[in-house]
Amino acid sequence: MIEAVFWELSNFLAYLVIVMIAFGLVFKIVFDEPALDSQGAGPVSYIIMAFRVVWGEGSFNIENTEFKVIAWIAYMLLMLIGNVILLNFLIASVN
């Protein structure tokens, strides 16, 4: 039963992981160091930071970067893709 659920959601999970890795790489380029609540995991810290931002509990300091415009664009795209598009994809996958 649980295997069937994961099998049906495998496309969504793969897409989610790809999106989070992509935004983790963008955050690694834009920010010198990960947010304080995501430090300690090495290079994976930026991916954790992207996950936490999508779920609404992460934060990062845009004022400490020299790429402020890129950071805001990445943040807005992450919120749009992470919350709206992935939620719709998840609902479509479940149905």
Side-chain angles (χ1 to χ4, degrees), residues 37-52:
D37 53 359
S38 300
Q39 288 181 346
V44 183
S45 297
Y46 295 96
I47 298 171
I48 294 170
M49 189 168 103
F51 270 113
R52 293 185 69 155

Side-chain angles (χ1 to χ4, degrees), residues 16-35:
L16 177 69
V17 167
I18 290 170
V19 167
M20 289 302 124
I21 289 173
F23 277 102
L25 292 174
V26 170
F27 287 157
K28 183 166 176 46
I29 293 169
V30 171
F31 295 104
D32 295 332
E33 59 184 40

Side-chain angles (χ1 to χ4, degrees), residues 52-70:
R52 293 185 69 155
V53 167
V54 165
W55 303 130
E57 63 182 36
S59 63
F60 48 86
N61 197 356
I62 292 180
E63 287 77 26
N64 288 343
T65 182
E66 46 188 77
F67 305 108
K68 289 179 179 52
V69 173
I70 296 172

